[in-house]
Amino acid sequence: MEEYGVSAQEAYDVFNKHVESAWKDVNQEFLKPTEMPTEVLNRSLNLARVMDVLYREGDGYTYVGKAAKGGITSLLIEPIAL
């Protein structure tokens, strides 16, 4: 921020654009045929998804907030009516 003279919000916005671009790359590469087993690719992709959810709004791993708790609760505890 000091090097380029930008605000924290501007730096955050640029960083988020890089994250979105990286997700597009991951999704495109995931659709291409490869010799790697799909199970391995799925585990890597799921890890990346979890990291994205935990760290999107700060350090959600160390400082668990209401959003993370609500997501975990809705995913693992509250049943989905079919």
Side-chain angles (χ1 to χ4, degrees):
M1 290 178 1
E2 292 177 10
E3 182 177 344
Y4 293 100
V6 296
S7 68
Q9 186 60 43
E10 290 172 319
Y12 185 76
D13 292 342
V14 170
F15 183 71
N16 277 334
K17 286 180 186 178
H18 287 293
V19 170
E20 286 181 30
S21 176
W23 271 116
K24 289 178 184 178
D25 293 342
V26 167
N27 289 328
Q28 286 176 349
E29 292 297 322
F30 193 80
L31 295 174
K32 293 180 181 178
T34 180
E35 293 180 15
M36 184 69 66
T38 306
E39 293 83 9
V40 174
L41 294 174
N42 280 334
R43 288 182 185 195
S44 300
L45 182 61
N46 286 337
L47 176 62
R49 288 175 178 158
V50 168
M51 292 299 108
D52 187 48
V53 168
L54 287 177
Y55 292 102
R56 179 162 294 274
E57 299 294 329
D59 188 356
Y61 181 77
T62 304
Y63 308 105
V64 179
K66 291 180 183 178
K69 286 181 182 179
I72 292 168
T73 301
S74 66
L75 179 66
L76 299 175
I77 297 173
E78 296 173 358
I80 298 173
L82 298 176

